[in-house]
Amino acid sequence: MRVVLGVSYNGQAYQGWQSQLSGLTVQDKLEKALGKFTAQRVSTLCAGRTDAGVHALMQVVHFDSDRERDTHAWVRGTNANLPRDIAVQWAVLTSKDFHCRASATSRRYAYVLLESPVRPSVDAGRVGWSFRPLDLSAMRQAAGILLGEHDFTSFRASACQALSPVKNMLAIDIHQRGAYWRIEFEANAFLHHMIRNIMGCLVQIGQGKRPPEWMAEVLAARDRDAAAPTFSPDGLYFLGPRYDPQWGMPERTPAYDGLP
C-alpha cells in the first residue's frame, strides 16, 4: 500500500527537508515519528526539497507500508510523535502508480515579505523584510518577463543538481495587504535557490535600485553573477504540488489560506 501525506512545517529549527547525519531535518523527524507509529523503518520521498529555514504549507510525501491503518489514524498517529512545528494535515491511500514527485504537474511557492522601516519581531523567521518602500507596478512588470519557458541559469545556485536549467514559469502573482506582500510562483519545476534569487532581483526593482527591464538582462545573461544576491529563506513557503484530479490529492491546506 502506498501512503501519501500532506505535511506542513515551520522550517526555522531545521536544516532543510533532506535527511542529514545531524538528524535535524524535517525528513528525519517525520521518518522517526512514522517509525514509532508503525514499529518499522519508514523511508519517505517528497515532492519538493526545501532549504534550511524554508517553510511548507503542503509538502507531499509518499512511502510504502504493509501496516493497515485508515487515513485518520495515519494523521493522528504520526502527529502524536512529531514536534509541535511539524504536522501531518491529511493522508491518502493510493496505488504504487502514484509518485509524489514524478506525478506532479507543477509546484507552487509563496514568498511573504514585510515592508517596514523596522525589522520583524513577532514575525521573525516567518517573513522576509524590505526596509524601503516597494513599487507594485514595477515588480509586476519585472515578474511578467519571467513568464513562459526560459533558461533560468542566472537564478540557479551553483550546487543545483537539476539536469536542465530550462523551466516553464506558469504564473507569478504579486499582492499587497497593508505592510505585507505575498508573491506566489507556479512552475513545472524549480531550480535550487531559484525563487530566492528571483526575489533578490524583484526587491531591488521594487526599491527602485534597478528598472523593471533589468530583469530581462539578468535572464538573458544566463550567468548567476548577473543577478542580485540570494534573498532570505525566512518568508519562503512551499505551497505544494498540483496533480491530475485522478489521484484525488488535496490541492491546498485550507487552514492556511489566510497566510498574508
Side-chain angles (χ1 to χ4, degrees):
M1 176 180 60
R2 180 148 293 178
V3 182
V4 186
L5 304 178
V7 184
S8 63
Y9 49 86
N10 183 321
Q12 292 183 73
Y14 303 104
Q15 297 171 346
W17 160 265
Q18 191 167 4
S19 182
Q20 296 186 30
L21 291 176
S22 66
L24 297 176
T25 72
V26 179
Q27 184 178 21
D28 289 321
K29 299 299 183 183
L30 179 62
E31 291 182 355
K32 182 177 179 181
L34 287 166
K36 288 183 178 179
F37 178 55
T38 62
Q40 63 181 197
R41 190 169 184 266
V42 175
S43 180
T44 61
L45 288 174
C46 76
R49 288 174 292 189
T50 53
D51 291 332
V54 176
H55 319 293
L57 302 189
M58 200 178 80
Q59 176 68 271
V60 177
V61 305
H62 82 248
F63 57 92
D64 296 328
S65 176
D66 59 6
R67 296 293 191 257
E68 295 292 333
R69 305 282 193 277
D70 64 28
T71 55
H72 296 293
W74 280 111
V75 173
R76 294 194 304 270
T78 308
N79 282 341
N81 295 291
L82 281 170
R84 62 184 298 178
D85 50 7
I86 305 173
V88 175
Q89 300 293 322
W90 51 261
V92 172
L93 308 180
T94 189
S95 72
K96 292 187 178 181
D97 293 331
F98 175 84
H99 191 286
C100 64
R101 191 172 302 163
S103 298
T105 58
S106 68
R107 291 160 179 81
R108 298 164 297 160
Y109 284 84
Y111 198 98
V112 180
L113 185 68
L114 175 67
E115 178 191 312
S116 170
V118 179
R119 62 173 173 78
S121 55
V122 175
D123 287 331
R126 298 190 295 120
V127 298
W129 176 42
S130 173
F131 63 88
R132 292 190 176 95
L134 299 170
D135 183 327
L136 176 60
S137 177
M139 292 172 70
R140 283 179 171 169
Q141 183 180 339
I145 294 168
L146 301 176
L147 297 179
E149 188 173 84
H150 302 285
D151 182 328
F152 284 93
T153 295
S154 293
F155 306 100
R156 181 182 192 177
S158 59
C160 181
Q161 299 177 354
L163 297 178
S164 171
V166 177
K167 304 300 174 188
N168 187 9
M169 186 72 76
L170 302 171
I172 302 178
D173 296 315
I174 305 177
H175 302 281
Q176 182 182 11
R177 182 186 298 171
Y180 292 92
W181 293 71
R182 177 171 172 147
I183 301 94
E184 288 201 21
F185 301 83
E186 181 171 0
N188 65 327
F190 291 91
L191 302 168
H192 190 201
H193 284 177
M194 179 172 161
I195 295 177
R196 291 171 58 193
N197 291 334
I198 290 174
M199 279 300 304
C201 293
L202 284 175
V203 169
Q204 286 201 5
I205 291 167
Q207 292 178 343
K209 295 180 179 179
R210 300 276 191 168
E213 297 78 16
W214 176 62
M215 189 69 85
E217 296 176 18
V218 173
L219 184 65
R222 299 181 183 180
D223 182 350
R224 177 67 191 94
D225 291 337
T230 305
F231 209 63
S232 166
D234 293 352
L236 185 56
Y237 294 78
F238 183 40
L239 299 182
R242 291 192 194 272
Y243 300 104
D244 288 334
Q246 70 183 51
W247 297 116
M249 301 296 162
E251 280 206 356
R252 203 123 186 189
T253 304
Y256 291 98
D257 279 348
L259 183 74

